Amino acid sequence: MKKTSISKVTSALANIIEVISFAIAGFIAISLIALAIMISKGQLTTHTFSNVFTNVQLQYQGGQALFKDGQFNIPGLFVFGIMMIIFAILSGSIFHNIYRIFALDSGSPFSPENIKRVRTIGFLAITLPIAKIIITVIGMLFGVSAFIDISASEFLFGLVALSLSQYFAYGAELEKDVEGLL
């Protein structure tokens, strides 16, 4: 299949977003580990965080980790960090698959690999809002006020991708039938 300008741009942007997403996940993971070590050694306390982050709300993907009773909620920080890591990894994985689909140099777009990639995008897209629900519940167990926006469009995007994977599979069958006729 011939690459078009739009497919080249899409491939490049997907690759850039993929790299940024995984870099964010790595940075946050390293930061959480460093914070856990500093907290365990007594170098950081709730009071230290409260002085630094007075009246601050941390936001990412519609989630919030808030102060609790006027003090910074350290478990909330870790739940929030883990939430950001999960979202960054899922987003990076979605964009990795998009990159791989559009990076196709030649051959049919209906290849078994592309069918699998589109299906994977669908499953990952549906996993994002489910992860939001699970993280909200886990946050409540730790006393974290986490308000996470979940919209029907998130589930719909995943369902559309799963449906497209069926169309790709059908296209592969038609392509195979046409090759058999020649």
Side-chain angles (χ1 to χ4, degrees), residues 44-54 67 70-72 74:
L44 290 176
T45 63
T46 301
H47 182 69
T48 307
F49 278 105
S50 294
N51 288 340
V52 174
F53 294 109
T54 304
F67 278 79
Q71 293 292 318
F72 194 82
I74 290 177

Side-chain angles (χ1 to χ4, degrees), residues 20-103:
I20 290 170
S21 295
F22 287 129
I24 287 170
F27 174 76
I28 295 169
I30 290 168
S31 297
L32 288 178
I33 291 167
L35 284 172
I37 291 169
M38 293 173 78
I39 290 168
S40 71
K41 290 185 176 186
Q43 296 171 338
L44 290 176
T45 63
T46 301
H47 182 69
T48 307
F49 278 105
S50 294
N51 288 340
V52 174
F53 294 109
T54 304
N55 297 321
V56 170
Q57 289 185 352
L58 300 174
Q59 294 186 343
Y60 178 78
Q61 293 284 358
Q64 299 176 348
L66 305 174
F67 278 79
K68 184 176 181 182
D69 302 325
Q71 293 292 318
F72 194 82
N73 189 357
I74 290 177
L77 175 68
F78 284 94
V79 169
F80 180 76
I82 291 167
M83 175 183 67
M84 290 190 307
I85 291 169
I86 291 169
F87 291 157
I89 289 171
L90 289 172
S91 297
S93 298
I94 287 170
F95 284 103
H96 171 74
N97 282 289
I98 291 170
Y99 166 73
R100 298 294 299 166
I101 289 168
F102 285 98

Side-chain angles (χ1 to χ4, degrees), residues 5 8 28 47 55 60 66 85 87 89 92 98 102 113 118 122 125-126 129 143 151 159 166 170 172-174:
S5 329
K8 290 177 186 177
I28 295 169
H47 182 69
N55 297 321
Y60 178 78
L66 305 174
I85 291 169
F87 291 157
I89 289 171
I98 291 170
F102 285 98
E113 296 85 13
V118 174
I126 289 174
S151 68
L159 292 173
Q166 292 176 337
Y170 181 66
E173 286 177 32
L174 290 176

Side-chain angles (χ1 to χ4, degrees), residues 146-157:
F147 305 105
I148 298 179
D149 299 331
I150 300 171
S151 68
S153 64
E154 293 174 306
F155 285 105
L156 184 61
F157 174 73

